[in-house]
């Protein structure tokens, strides 16, 4: 099989978190009884007038600024005509030639979905435009129902340049985009609630060829994992056709997640003509620089900036920083604790290995976690100060996770403080030596590793509380003497 260069561009729809819909005052909520969040405007009754939601416009511009987009001073809405049961007006209010955001970019780096290191690069964003979502069709056996609660919900479409070169890069781009939207409070991007939806455009070309190959558009991708799988499936399918000397047709294909394959939905000949024209019921959007600058000042710290800060200020590896910024709440948790402890790298290790395991085992979110960043930082400082050892810290951590008590209180109540007093440890060391004559013999014959065995014995006798450094020192003094 010949090797081809993979070219991928993504079109991602993101629902904007607002109180009301895009052009009416109906609530923007998920999961309500079907057709209870509707009014004449979002139901497309004749003669009604749309009123734009300024919060949705602001959030779209914020999203654009976070992706380094230009924000043109003049933008407008257009009608996209089409006929389908999910759209009562038979046109969708969208944006065509003058969207709110143009020419942005999103940075990807770190470890990809498959675990290997990604190239450090920017994926271009062509545009972000604002539109209204359409109704949801629910297919129940042989009948279908239409739920208009979703019709008119503010929706952004983020169109990327064809800059991705693998399934891993597409996955990383989606992860980065989702993080930006979440950090900015633009959307929760919960794919199970349809808050983020993704179409994939993919083509192959021989390495070195300048022109792009014929692109195939993939729809119905319900998770990032599905995107990853579908891309790899298409790479194999298209390679095979090209190898056989076939010419690809431009087509739209669906993804069947159960079968793990794509299937033909329609060819280019069946493509719609949307007959876009300016929406006559809405004023164009004019933005002066002052307003855009004001929005710029409202921007939160972005995941990428946070990762760089974590590496520079707290001595983390890029991988630690990648894991800890996965979710905004987790990043804020770490940042809060790291400011309190003298060992922010140790804190990162505890969060990544112990806290995240604990959360996934208990099914808790970081915000509801009983272990506060203050408590975890305090526990790490206790380890550093020698008040408890690492083994006891595991017990303290488990107790913090179940009771939410501060570590000092747990150590005091359970008598877990590390014993660093020679007078208390010497008898235990002597007891261990007296009870293990064969091991003493082995040590004296030159087997240094036996020391670890003795450390284990003394720790057991102290019920884990002896200071391990002190134990080693005392053991050596006696064994060598
Ligand atoms: P269309 O006119 O069919 O909507 P666009 O040019 O608007 O196509 O591009 C839609 C999406 O497809 C964009 O994300 C773009 O990056 C991507 N794209 C365009 N051409 C290709 C190609 N040859 N291979 C892969 N993706 C492509
Ligand atoms: Zn409405
Ligand atoms: Mg297009």
């Amino acid at each position: 099989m010949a090797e081809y260069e993979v070219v991928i561009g993504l079109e991602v729809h993101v629902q904007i978190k607002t109180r009301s819909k895009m052009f009416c005052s109906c609530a923007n909520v998920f999961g309500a009884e079907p057709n209870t969040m509707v009014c004449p405007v979002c139901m497309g009754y004749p003669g009604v007038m749309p009123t734009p939601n300024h919060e949705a416009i602001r959030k779209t511009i914020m999203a654009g600024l976070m992706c380094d987009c230009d924000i043109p001073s003049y933008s407008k809405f257009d009608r996209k005509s089409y006929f389908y049961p999910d759209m009562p007006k038979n046109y969708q209010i969208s944006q065509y030639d003058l969207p709110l955001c143009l020419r942005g970019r999103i940075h990807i780096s770190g470890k990809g979905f498959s675990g290997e290191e990604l190239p450090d690069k920017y994926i271009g964003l062509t545009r972000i435009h604002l539109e209204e979502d359409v109704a949801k069709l629910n297919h129940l056996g042989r009948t279908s129902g239409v739920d208009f609660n979703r019709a008119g919900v503010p929706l952004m479409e983020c169109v990327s340049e064809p800059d991705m070169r693998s399934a891993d890069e597409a996955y990383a781009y989606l992860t980065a985009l989702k993080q930006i939207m979440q950090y900015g409070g633009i959307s929760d991007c919960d794919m199970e609630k349809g808050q983020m939806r993704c179409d994939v455009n993919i083509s192959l070309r021989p390495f070195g060829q300048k022109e792009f190959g014929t692109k195939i558009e993939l729809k119905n991708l319900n998770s990032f994992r599905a995107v990853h799988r579908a891309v790899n499936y298409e790479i194999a399918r298209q390679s095979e056709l090209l190898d056989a000397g076939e010419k690809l047709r431009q087509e739209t294909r669906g993804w069947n997640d159960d079968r793990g394959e794509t299937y033909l939905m329609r060819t280019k000949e069946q493509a719609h003509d949307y007959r876009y024209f300016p929406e006559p019921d809405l004023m164009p959007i004019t933005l002066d620089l002052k307003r855009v600058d004001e929005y710029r000042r409202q921007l939160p710290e972005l995941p990428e900036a946070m990762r760089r800060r974590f590496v520079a200020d707290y001595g983390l590896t890029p991988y630690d920083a990648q894991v800890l910024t996965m979710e905004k709440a987790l990043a804020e948790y770490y940042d809060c604790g790291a400011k309190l402890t003298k060992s922010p790298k140790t804190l990162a290790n505890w969060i990544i290995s112990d806290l995240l395991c604990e959360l996934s085992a208990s099914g808790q979110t970081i915000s509801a976690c009983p272990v506060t960043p203050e408590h975890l930082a305090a526990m790490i400082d206790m380890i550093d100060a020698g008040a408890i050892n690492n083994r006891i810290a595991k017990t303290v951590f488990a107790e913090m996770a179940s009771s939410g008590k501060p570590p000092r209180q747990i150590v005091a109540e359970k008598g877990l403080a590390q014993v660093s007093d020679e007078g208390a440890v010497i008898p235990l060391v002597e007891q261990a030596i007296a009870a293990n004559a064969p091991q003493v013999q082995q040590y004296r014959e030159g087997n240094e590793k036996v020391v670890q065995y003795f450390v284990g014995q003394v720790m057991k006798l102290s019920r884990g509380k002896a200071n391990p450094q002190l134990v080693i020192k005392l053991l050596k003094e006696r064994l060598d003497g």
Side-chain angles (χ1 to χ4, degrees):
M1 199 164 82
E3 282 276 342
Y4 298 96
E5 186 176 31
V6 182
V7 174
I8 300 166
L10 300 183
E11 294 166 286
V12 182
H13 281 99
V14 177
Q15 279 187 353
I16 305 173
K17 197 157 60 165
T18 51
R19 277 214 302 279
S20 57
K21 290 188 183 180
M22 188 60 225
F23 297 114
C24 62
S25 55
C26 290
N28 172 12
V29 288
F30 177 83
E33 191 67 16
N35 300 311
T36 54
M37 303 291 156
V38 292
C39 74
V41 174
C42 54
M43 292 296 286
Y45 283 22
V48 296
M49 289 292 274
T51 318
N53 181 332
H54 289 285
E55 182 63 359
I57 294 172
R58 183 183 74 88
K59 285 194 161 163
T60 303
I61 294 168
M62 297 278 279
L65 291 172
M66 288 189 287
C67 298
D68 273 344
C69 288
D70 298 335
I71 310 299
S73 56
Y74 186 88
S75 175
K76 69 174 167 66
F77 289 105
D78 297 277
R79 285 190 183 181
K80 177 180 179 177
S81 313
Y82 76 99
F83 183 72
Y84 199 66
D86 65 8
M87 181 36 84
K89 299 196 294 288
N90 294 332
Y91 62 83
Q92 178 188 27
I93 303 179
S94 181
Q95 298 196 278
Y96 185 55
D97 53 339
L98 298 171
L100 279 166
C101 315
L102 286 168
R103 294 175 295 270
R105 57 182 196 169
I106 289 178
H107 186 247
I108 59 167
S109 66
K111 282 206 179 15
F113 179 72
S114 317
E116 67 259 35
E117 208 66 30
L118 291 167
D120 200 60
K121 72 187 235 186
Y122 284 99
I123 306 300
L125 257 191
T126 315
R127 56 187 275 153
I128 302 178
H129 68 248
L130 179 57
E131 58 190 26
E132 55 178 336
D133 208 343
V134 298
K136 185 159 178 17
L137 301 183
N138 293 317
H139 305 289
L140 318 143
R142 297 178 63 187
T143 60
S144 292
V146 187
D147 177 7
F148 287 95
N149 288 350
R150 199 179 75 179
V153 164
L155 191 69
M156 283 184 302
E157 183 173 332
C158 310
V159 183
S160 88
E161 290 290 302
D163 286 350
M164 285 154 274
R165 294 291 174 268
S166 68
D168 269 8
E169 286 187 24
Y171 191 94
Y173 168 84
L174 287 169
T175 306
L177 181 64
K178 176 176 170 174
Q179 275 182 355
I180 289 170
M181 297 304 167
Q182 288 180 341
Y183 273 63
I186 311 297
S187 175
D188 295 332
C189 294
D190 186 339
M191 289 188 92
E192 271 161 32
K193 295 182 181 167
Q195 291 168 350
M196 187 178 190
R197 311 194 292 266
C198 173
D199 297 339
V200 174
N201 298 273
I202 170 168
S203 63
L204 303 186
R205 62 179 169 187
F207 276 100
Q209 178 181 305
K210 244 196 153 117
E211 306 78 47
F212 288 137
T214 306
K215 88 171 183 213
I216 305 290
E217 184 171 357
L218 305 177
K219 290 197 174 287
N220 301 341
L221 298 154
N222 295 322
S223 65
F224 292 179
R225 204 176 96 83
V227 169
H228 196 268
R229 291 175 72 206
V231 164
N232 283 331
Y233 176 86
E234 272 301 301
I235 293 172
R237 189 187 70 86
Q238 293 180 28
S239 299
E240 214 167 286
L241 290 171
L242 293 171
D243 280 350
E246 289 192 40
K247 234 178 131 59
L248 292 176
R249 302 176 294 180
Q250 199 171 320
E251 59 191 29
T252 302
R253 302 179 68 85
W255 169 249
N256 184 321
D257 206 52
D258 295 328
R259 298 168 65 100
E261 55 189 42
T262 63
Y263 58 91
L264 181 65
M265 286 173 82
R266 59 176 177 266
T267 59
K268 174 143 189 179
E269 288 68 52
Q270 296 155 292
H272 311 278
D273 172 6
Y274 294 120
R275 293 161 48 237
Y276 281 99
F277 67 91
E279 167 58 58
D281 290 342
L282 289 166
M283 294 287 284
I285 304 160
T286 52
L287 290 158
D288 56 23
L289 272 173
K290 237 179 84 196
R291 198 160 129 208
V292 176
D293 278 343
E294 193 187 308
Y295 292 164
R296 211 185 291 277
R297 278 197 297 276
Q298 296 169 9
L299 291 180
E301 187 180 20
L302 289 180
E304 179 60 24
M306 229 170 184
R307 281 191 281 275
R308 264 187 265 119
R309 186 163 62 79
F310 285 3
V311 170
D313 293 2
Y314 300 141
L316 302 193
T317 65
Y319 179 74
D320 295 335
Q322 187 183 354
V323 175
L324 291 173
T325 53
M326 217 57 183
E327 302 237 353
K328 190 184 191 185
L330 180 64
E332 285 174 342
Y333 181 102
Y334 172 69
D335 201 19
C336 169
K339 289 195 170 104
L340 298 171
T341 172
K342 288 179 217 78
S343 306
K345 168 66 182 155
T346 313
L347 176 67
N349 296 346
W350 274 87
I351 292 176
I352 291 169
S353 53
D354 298 82
L355 188 69
L356 291 181
C357 285
E358 169 64 29
L359 291 179
S360 77
S362 64
Q364 261 169 342
T365 62
I366 185 81
S367 10
C369 177
V371 185
T372 66
E374 290 82 3
H375 289 176
L376 194 54
M379 188 193 87
I380 281 153
D381 287 346
M382 288 171 79
I383 303 173
D384 282 351
I388 53 174
N389 63 38
N390 265 311
R391 256 175 57 185
I392 292 293
K394 300 275 175 195
T395 312
V396 174
F397 179 83
E399 182 63 24
M400 293 198 302
S402 62
S403 71
K405 287 181 185 169
R408 274 187 202 292
Q409 187 183 342
I410 295 168
V411 168
E413 282 177 3
K414 303 211 153 190
L416 294 171
Q418 174 159 271
V419 179
S420 298
D421 168 18
E422 291 205 6
V425 179
I426 288 171
L428 305 178
V429 168
E430 287 176 345
Q431 192 184 335
I433 289 173
N436 294 285
Q439 283 77 11
V440 174
Q441 185 62 26
Q442 285 174 27
Y443 180 83
R444 299 217 159 116
E445 282 163 6
N447 185 355
E448 294 250 346
K449 279 190 232 145
V450 180
V451 173
Q452 279 316 312
Y453 170 79
F454 280 109
V455 172
Q457 295 302 305
V458 178
M459 292 309 283
K460 214 186 263 171
L461 291 170
S462 74
R463 284 185 292 125
K465 292 187 293 189
N467 177 335
Q469 274 82 44
L470 178 64
V471 172
I472 292 173
K473 182 187 136 229
L474 295 174
L475 274 167
K476 288 205 166 157
E477 280 171 14
R478 273 153 191 75
L479 289 167
D480 292 338

